[in-house]
PDB file of all heavy atoms in Angstrom:
ATOM      1  N   THR A 805      44.876  28.011  10.699  1.00 96.00           N
ATOM      2  CA  THR A 805      45.794  28.071  11.753  1.00 96.00           C
ATOM      3  C   THR A 805      45.928  29.537  12.356  1.00 96.00           C
ATOM      4  O   THR A 805      46.828  29.835  13.075  1.00 96.00           O
ATOM      5  CB  THR A 805      47.014  27.545  11.557  1.00 96.00           C
ATOM      6  OG1 THR A 805      47.682  28.199  10.357  1.00 96.00           O
ATOM      7  CG2 THR A 805      47.115  26.107  11.157  1.00 96.00           C
ATOM      8  N   ASP A 806      45.037  30.376  11.939  1.00 95.00           N
ATOM      9  CA  ASP A 806      44.935  31.716  12.480  1.00 95.00           C
ATOM     10  C   ASP A 806      43.607  31.679  13.401  1.00 95.00           C
ATOM     11  O   ASP A 806      42.622  31.083  12.954  1.00 95.00           O
ATOM     12  CB  ASP A 806      44.703  32.817  11.451  1.00 95.00           C
ATOM     13  CG  ASP A 806      46.101  33.282  10.863  1.00 95.00           C
ATOM     14  OD1 ASP A 806      47.069  33.362  11.733  1.00 95.00           O
ATOM     15  OD2 ASP A 806      46.154  33.626   9.793  1.00 95.00           O
ATOM     16  N   MET A 807      43.687  32.334  14.448  1.00 93.00           N
ATOM     17  CA  MET A 807      42.497  32.099  15.499  1.00 93.00           C
ATOM     18  C   MET A 807      41.195  32.963  15.085  1.00 93.00           C
ATOM     19  O   MET A 807      40.128  32.336  15.241  1.00 93.00           O
ATOM     20  CB  MET A 807      42.970  32.649  16.878  1.00 93.00           C
ATOM     21  CG  MET A 807      43.575  31.565  17.684  1.00 93.00           C
ATOM     22  SD  MET A 807      43.964  32.216  19.168  1.00 93.00           S
ATOM     23  CE  MET A 807      44.236  30.810  20.119  1.00 93.00           C
ATOM     24  N   VAL A 808      41.449  34.116  14.801  1.00 93.00           N
ATOM     25  CA  VAL A 808      40.195  35.015  14.737  1.00 93.00           C
ATOM     26  C   VAL A 808      40.175  35.895  13.392  1.00 93.00           C
ATOM     27  O   VAL A 808      39.156  35.772  12.553  1.00 93.00           O
ATOM     28  CB  VAL A 808      40.141  35.941  16.060  1.00 93.00           C
ATOM     29  CG1 VAL A 808      38.881  36.832  15.940  1.00 93.00           C
ATOM     30  CG2 VAL A 808      40.253  35.074  17.273  1.00 93.00           C
ATOM     31  N   SER A 809      41.206  36.700  13.217  1.00 91.00           N
ATOM     32  CA  SER A 809      41.211  37.569  12.086  1.00 91.00           C
ATOM     33  C   SER A 809      41.757  36.809  10.823  1.00 91.00           C
ATOM     34  O   SER A 809      42.768  37.043  10.406  1.00 91.00           O
ATOM     35  CB  SER A 809      42.170  38.762  12.304  1.00 91.00           C
ATOM     36  OG  SER A 809      42.302  39.064  13.698  1.00 91.00           O
ATOM     37  N   THR A 810      40.978  35.953  10.472  1.00 94.00           N
ATOM     38  CA  THR A 810      41.369  34.986   9.333  1.00 94.00           C
ATOM     39  C   THR A 810      41.159  35.541   8.047  1.00 94.00           C
ATOM     40  O   THR A 810      40.161  36.063   7.645  1.00 94.00           O
ATOM     41  CB  THR A 810      40.590  33.629   9.381  1.00 94.00           C
ATOM     42  OG1 THR A 810      39.186  34.036   9.586  1.00 94.00           O
ATOM     43  CG2 THR A 810      40.935  32.893  10.792  1.00 94.00           C
ATOM     44  N   HIS A 811      42.201  35.521   7.196  1.00 95.00           N
ATOM     45  CA  HIS A 811      42.243  36.140   5.843  1.00 95.00           C
ATOM     46  C   HIS A 811      41.367  35.323   4.882  1.00 95.00           C
ATOM     47  O   HIS A 811      41.201  34.088   5.050  1.00 95.00           O
ATOM     48  CB  HIS A 811      43.755  36.131   5.366  1.00 95.00           C
ATOM     49  CG  HIS A 811      43.965  37.057   4.156  1.00 95.00           C
ATOM     50  ND1 HIS A 811      43.565  36.625   2.912  1.00 95.00           N
ATOM     51  CD2 HIS A 811      44.472  38.169   4.045  1.00 95.00           C
ATOM     52  CE1 HIS A 811      43.859  37.594   2.059  1.00 95.00           C
ATOM     53  NE2 HIS A 811      44.422  38.597   2.650  1.00 95.00           N
ATOM     54  N   ALA A 812      40.803  36.007   3.883  1.00 95.00           N
ATOM     55  CA  ALA A 812      39.862  35.398   2.952  1.00 95.00           C
ATOM     56  C   ALA A 812      40.590  34.316   2.263  1.00 95.00           C
ATOM     57  O   ALA A 812      39.798  33.350   1.789  1.00 95.00           O
ATOM     58  CB  ALA A 812      39.342  36.530   1.961  1.00 95.00           C
ATOM     59  N   LEU A 813      41.827  34.344   2.038  1.00 96.00           N
ATOM     60  CA  LEU A 813      42.571  33.182   1.296  1.00 96.00           C
ATOM     61  C   LEU A 813      42.432  31.906   1.987  1.00 96.00           C
ATOM     62  O   LEU A 813      42.598  30.868   1.341  1.00 96.00           O
ATOM     63  CB  LEU A 813      43.929  33.592   1.062  1.00 96.00           C
ATOM     64  CG  LEU A 813      44.212  34.581  -0.100  1.00 96.00           C
ATOM     65  CD1 LEU A 813      45.816  35.029  -0.111  1.00 96.00           C
ATOM     66  CD2 LEU A 813      43.941  34.028  -1.421  1.00 96.00           C
ATOM     67  N   TRP A 814      42.090  31.858   3.244  1.00 97.00           N
ATOM     68  CA  TRP A 814      41.822  30.589   3.973  1.00 97.00           C
ATOM     69  C   TRP A 814      40.634  29.836   3.323  1.00 97.00           C
ATOM     70  O   TRP A 814      40.557  28.584   3.316  1.00 97.00           O
ATOM     71  CB  TRP A 814      41.592  30.707   5.444  1.00 97.00           C
ATOM     72  CG  TRP A 814      42.759  31.017   6.207  1.00 97.00           C
ATOM     73  CD1 TRP A 814      43.058  32.106   6.915  1.00 97.00           C
ATOM     74  CD2 TRP A 814      43.817  30.030   6.560  1.00 97.00           C
ATOM     75  NE1 TRP A 814      44.327  31.942   7.537  1.00 97.00           N
ATOM     76  CE2 TRP A 814      44.654  30.656   7.380  1.00 97.00           C
ATOM     77  CE3 TRP A 814      43.994  28.688   6.158  1.00 97.00           C
ATOM     78  CZ2 TRP A 814      45.857  30.035   7.914  1.00 97.00           C
ATOM     79  CZ3 TRP A 814      45.207  28.022   6.769  1.00 97.00           C
ATOM     80  CH2 TRP A 814      46.008  28.731   7.599  1.00 97.00           C
ATOM     81  N   TYR A 815      39.619  30.568   2.890  1.00 96.00           N
ATOM     82  CA  TYR A 815      38.473  29.957   2.452  1.00 96.00           C
ATOM     83  C   TYR A 815      38.137  29.821   1.007  1.00 96.00           C
ATOM     84  O   TYR A 815      37.699  30.864   0.334  1.00 96.00           O
ATOM     85  CB  TYR A 815      37.299  30.852   3.108  1.00 96.00           C
ATOM     86  CG  TYR A 815      37.527  31.006   4.608  1.00 96.00           C
ATOM     87  CD1 TYR A 815      37.817  32.352   5.144  1.00 96.00           C
ATOM     88  CD2 TYR A 815      37.563  30.035   5.568  1.00 96.00           C
ATOM     89  CE1 TYR A 815      38.091  32.501   6.549  1.00 96.00           C
ATOM     90  CE2 TYR A 815      37.829  30.177   6.875  1.00 96.00           C
ATOM     91  CZ  TYR A 815      38.060  31.429   7.379  1.00 96.00           C
ATOM     92  OH  TYR A 815      38.186  31.688   8.702  1.00 96.00           O
ATOM     93  N   ASP A 816      38.417  28.633   0.531  1.00 96.00           N
ATOM     94  CA  ASP A 816      38.095  28.388  -0.914  1.00 96.00           C
ATOM     95  C   ASP A 816      36.886  27.414  -1.003  1.00 96.00           C
ATOM     96  O   ASP A 816      36.891  26.311  -0.238  1.00 96.00           O
ATOM     97  CB  ASP A 816      39.308  27.746  -1.503  1.00 96.00           C
ATOM     98  CG  ASP A 816      39.065  27.599  -3.036  1.00 96.00           C
ATOM     99  OD1 ASP A 816      38.071  27.149  -3.465  1.00 96.00           O
ATOM    100  OD2 ASP A 816      40.013  28.045  -3.802  1.00 96.00           O
ATOM    101  N   ARG A 817      35.760  27.757  -1.584  1.00 95.00           N
ATOM    102  CA  ARG A 817      34.610  26.957  -1.595  1.00 95.00           C
ATOM    103  C   ARG A 817      34.837  25.499  -2.143  1.00 95.00           C
ATOM    104  O   ARG A 817      34.039  24.705  -1.930  1.00 95.00           O
ATOM    105  CB  ARG A 817      33.474  27.707  -2.451  1.00 95.00           C
ATOM    106  CG  ARG A 817      32.866  28.923  -1.877  1.00 95.00           C
ATOM    107  CD  ARG A 817      31.968  29.583  -2.691  1.00 95.00           C
ATOM    108  NE  ARG A 817      30.831  28.690  -3.241  1.00 95.00           N
ATOM    109  CZ  ARG A 817      29.639  28.611  -2.550  1.00 95.00           C
ATOM    110  NH1 ARG A 817      29.497  29.420  -1.498  1.00 95.00           N
ATOM    111  NH2 ARG A 817      28.679  27.899  -2.941  1.00 95.00           N
ATOM    112  N   GLN A 818      35.984  25.371  -2.890  1.00 96.00           N
ATOM    113  CA  GLN A 818      36.155  24.054  -3.578  1.00 96.00           C
ATOM    114  C   GLN A 818      36.658  23.101  -2.456  1.00 96.00           C
ATOM    115  O   GLN A 818      36.596  21.997  -2.600  1.00 96.00           O
ATOM    116  CB  GLN A 818      37.231  24.219  -4.770  1.00 96.00           C
ATOM    117  CG  GLN A 818      36.840  25.084  -5.829  1.00 96.00           C
ATOM    118  CD  GLN A 818      35.520  24.725  -6.433  1.00 96.00           C
ATOM    119  OE1 GLN A 818      35.202  23.451  -6.569  1.00 96.00           O
ATOM    120  NE2 GLN A 818      34.744  25.678  -6.557  1.00 96.00           N
ATOM    121  N   ALA A 819      37.224  23.567  -1.383  1.00 97.00           N
ATOM    122  CA  ALA A 819      37.695  22.658  -0.349  1.00 97.00           C
ATOM    123  C   ALA A 819      36.656  21.797   0.230  1.00 97.00           C
ATOM    124  O   ALA A 819      35.389  22.227   0.183  1.00 97.00           O
ATOM    125  CB  ALA A 819      38.410  23.440   0.822  1.00 97.00           C
ATOM    126  N   ASP A 820      36.865  20.653   0.603  1.00 98.00           N
ATOM    127  CA  ASP A 820      35.814  19.795   1.126  1.00 98.00           C
ATOM    128  C   ASP A 820      35.459  20.041   2.529  1.00 98.00           C
ATOM    129  O   ASP A 820      34.263  19.788   2.807  1.00 98.00           O
ATOM    130  CB  ASP A 820      36.283  18.254   0.984  1.00 98.00           C
ATOM    131  CG  ASP A 820      36.529  17.900  -0.438  1.00 98.00           C
ATOM    132  OD1 ASP A 820      35.531  17.907  -1.243  1.00 98.00           O
ATOM    133  OD2 ASP A 820      37.751  17.644  -0.702  1.00 98.00           O
ATOM    134  N   LEU A 821      36.386  20.526   3.258  1.00 98.00           N
ATOM    135  CA  LEU A 821      36.127  20.759   4.753  1.00 98.00           C
ATOM    136  C   LEU A 821      37.056  21.905   5.137  1.00 98.00           C
ATOM    137  O   LEU A 821      38.205  21.934   4.784  1.00 98.00           O
ATOM    138  CB  LEU A 821      36.317  19.484   5.461  1.00 98.00           C
ATOM    139  CG  LEU A 821      35.783  19.198   6.790  1.00 98.00           C
ATOM    140  CD1 LEU A 821      34.195  19.465   6.629  1.00 98.00           C
ATOM    141  CD2 LEU A 821      36.008  17.781   7.280  1.00 98.00           C
ATOM    142  N   ILE A 822      36.488  22.833   5.963  1.00 98.00           N
ATOM    143  CA  ILE A 822      37.432  23.767   6.621  1.00 98.00           C
ATOM    144  C   ILE A 822      37.312  23.655   8.036  1.00 98.00           C
ATOM    145  O   ILE A 822      36.222  23.808   8.628  1.00 98.00           O
ATOM    146  CB  ILE A 822      36.975  25.258   6.164  1.00 98.00           C
ATOM    147  CG1 ILE A 822      36.838  25.343   4.624  1.00 98.00           C
ATOM    148  CG2 ILE A 822      37.850  26.251   6.815  1.00 98.00           C
ATOM    149  CD1 ILE A 822      37.851  26.033   3.911  1.00 98.00           C
ATOM    150  N   LEU A 823      38.357  23.375   8.673  1.00 98.00           N
ATOM    151  CA  LEU A 823      38.301  23.142  10.211  1.00 98.00           C
ATOM    152  C   LEU A 823      38.939  24.434  10.790  1.00 98.00           C
ATOM    153  O   LEU A 823      40.029  24.853  10.536  1.00 98.00           O
ATOM    154  CB  LEU A 823      39.275  21.867  10.598  1.00 98.00           C
ATOM    155  CG  LEU A 823      38.737  20.721   9.843  1.00 98.00           C
ATOM    156  CD1 LEU A 823      39.726  19.432  10.254  1.00 98.00           C
ATOM    157  CD2 LEU A 823      37.391  20.299  10.155  1.00 98.00           C
ATOM    158  N   VAL A 824      38.110  25.107  11.693  1.00 98.00           N
ATOM    159  CA  VAL A 824      38.645  26.357  12.262  1.00 98.00           C
ATOM    160  C   VAL A 824      38.762  26.283  13.676  1.00 98.00           C
ATOM    161  O   VAL A 824      38.124  25.531  14.318  1.00 98.00           O
ATOM    162  CB  VAL A 824      37.550  27.507  11.788  1.00 98.00           C
ATOM    163  CG1 VAL A 824      37.521  27.774  10.385  1.00 98.00           C
ATOM    164  CG2 VAL A 824      36.176  27.135  12.401  1.00 98.00           C
ATOM    165  N   PRO A 825      39.559  27.216  14.293  1.00 97.00           N
ATOM    166  CA  PRO A 825      39.861  27.171  15.663  1.00 97.00           C
ATOM    167  C   PRO A 825      38.820  27.808  16.633  1.00 97.00           C
ATOM    168  O   PRO A 825      38.676  27.324  17.745  1.00 97.00           O
ATOM    169  CB  PRO A 825      41.250  27.895  15.895  1.00 97.00           C
ATOM    170  CG  PRO A 825      41.310  28.712  14.602  1.00 97.00           C
ATOM    171  CD  PRO A 825      40.493  28.064  13.557  1.00 97.00           C
ATOM    172  N   THR A 826      38.121  28.700  16.192  1.00 95.00           N
ATOM    173  CA  THR A 826      37.106  29.415  16.962  1.00 95.00           C
ATOM    174  C   THR A 826      35.821  29.682  16.258  1.00 95.00           C
ATOM    175  O   THR A 826      35.656  29.617  15.122  1.00 95.00           O
ATOM    176  CB  THR A 826      37.758  30.865  17.472  1.00 95.00           C
ATOM    177  OG1 THR A 826      37.880  31.527  16.158  1.00 95.00           O
ATOM    178  CG2 THR A 826      38.967  30.705  18.116  1.00 95.00           C
TER     179      THR A 826
END
Side-chain angles (χ1 to χ4, degrees):
T805 59
D806 278 323
M807 266 181 165
V808 179
S809 332
T810 46
H811 195 281
L813 281 171
W814 279 112
Y815 306 115
D816 189 312
R817 285 174 64 91
Q818 302 305 317
D820 297 297
L821 205 52
I822 309 257
L823 305 178
V824 295
T826 59

